[in-house]
Amino acid sequence: MQTLEQRTCVFAGASGGDGVAAVKALCKGGMNVVMMTHQPAQAQELIKEMEKLEYPGKCEAMQDGKCQNPPISDAEVYRQIFEKYGSIDVVICNTGGDGFEDSIDSVDTELMMKEVGHLLGGSYSMLKCALPYLRQSRAPRVIFMTTVEGVRGGRLESFTNAVAKGAVAALGKNCAARLASEGITVNCIEKGAIERLPHNGADHGPKFKDISGMLPLIPAGRMGTPEDLAQAICFLASEESSYVSGTVLDVSGGLSLV
């Protein structure tokens, strides 16, 4: 049982890649989803598709404050979402890196800090902007995305992405400890080799690194699907997950065991 209805989610990294299936699953369960996106054309394609499905949850796209015309603060963006829907109950940061090949020798400090700022800073900014509204929610949930190598180390994924995602995992655990007494759960999903396909095969979608080379290493014998990730997201976003906080949920088909 996953109770999602009549609640509102702010979801970054939702309109393409492995996030689309989660948007559909949340809306099907009755949750309103506001996609924070830098891919407005891609987001509009998904919204049109969702309208045809007629799920009970609504779906819309917004951009962060600096991308709006005229620019506004991110705090104002969240205030507008709260005013429209009456609550902000779930925050999901599924923002990822570009997956480029890199190494200790090729990465300078500026590039490393840029990736940390993008992934760690983006996750923290979402939580902080939403916190006044999460404190008013009947079932407040925060979900961050990390990776197998971000949590455990390794050599298969982008070096900068792994380091930044490790920082995101630390953020999740520390925020969970500080917010548990307020009933706000904070959890991470540790992603393995999840297929990330542009929505509707659109050519204008983001390009992702080919991760199929990980397949021989996955004990489950298959790549993860966006639907696998979506079900994990729905569980952590649900009202039933109220006693789960500070965890790193492994969605890797056993890749973390190798």
Side-chain angles (χ1 to χ4, degrees):
M1 179 67 178
Q2 294 178 343
T3 304
L4 303 168
E5 65 264 24
Q6 297 181 351
R7 293 162 66 221
T8 300
C9 167
V10 181
F11 194 157
S15 60
D18 57 23
V20 172
V23 173
K24 292 180 179 178
L26 291 167
C27 289
K28 186 175 182 179
M31 184 170 283
N32 299 316
V33 178
V34 179
M35 300 181 291
M36 301 298 293
T37 181
H38 292 153
Q39 301 286 339
Q42 197 170 357
Q44 288 304 315
E45 289 180 9
L46 177 55
I47 290 170
K48 290 178 182 177
E49 182 181 350
M50 296 290 288
E51 289 173 348
K52 295 177 182 177
L53 293 172
E54 298 183 344
Y55 286 151
K58 299 177 182 178
C59 177
E60 71 166 294
M62 292 188 71
Q63 292 185 296
D64 57 32
K66 66 178 179 293
C67 295
Q68 297 198 26
N69 188 19
I72 58 176
S73 68
D74 286 341
E76 175 62 16
V77 173
Y78 280 74
R79 188 197 67 79
Q80 291 177 5
I81 294 170
F82 179 79
E83 288 294 319
K84 181 172 183 178
Y85 289 99
S87 70
I88 294 176
D89 307 281
V90 181
V91 171
I92 303 171
C93 189
N94 188 37
T95 304
D98 55 17
F100 55 81
E101 298 287 352
D102 53 20
S103 68
I104 294 174
D105 293 321
S106 65
V107 173
D108 59 24
T109 303
E110 182 179 357
L111 179 58
M112 177 62 77
M113 296 311 297
K114 180 179 179 181
E115 191 76 350
V116 171
H118 175 52
L119 299 181
L120 176 65
S123 298
Y124 178 61
S125 178
M126 288 188 71
L127 183 153
K128 191 170 184 180
C129 287
L131 195 53
Y133 311 110
L134 292 172
R135 285 178 167 137
Q136 301 177 50
S137 171
R138 71 173 186 266
R141 307 284 182 260
V142 178
I143 304 170
F144 295 142
M145 297 296 164
T146 185
T147 63
V148 169
E149 293 188 12
V151 174
R152 305 168 198 275
R155 298 173 57 186
L156 296 174
E157 71 167 289
S158 160
F159 172 54
T160 53
N161 189 75
V163 171
K165 286 297 190 180
V168 170
L171 173 70
K173 287 180 177 293
N174 281 274
C175 289
R178 287 165 168 78
L179 295 173
S181 64
E182 300 182 60
I184 301 172
T185 71
V186 185
N187 293 288
C188 292
I189 293 178
E190 178 183 344
K191 293 197 284 188
I194 305 292
E195 297 170 348
R196 300 190 300 172
L197 302 176
H199 177 56
N200 285 342
D203 292 335
H204 59 262
K207 304 299 182 184
F208 299 116
K209 178 181 177 181
D210 181 8
I211 56 175
S212 59
M214 295 185 187
L215 182 58
L217 301 176
I218 302 172
R222 68 173 178 86
M223 300 284 285
T225 68
E227 288 73 23
D228 293 325
L229 180 64
Q231 292 308 308
I233 287 173
C234 285
F235 167 66
L236 291 177
S238 71
E239 296 190 22
E240 286 76 14
S241 67
S242 62
Y243 206 56
V244 179
S245 195
T247 192
V248 179
L249 179 60
D250 189 323
V251 183
S252 73
L255 180 62
S256 62
L257 304 174
V258 176

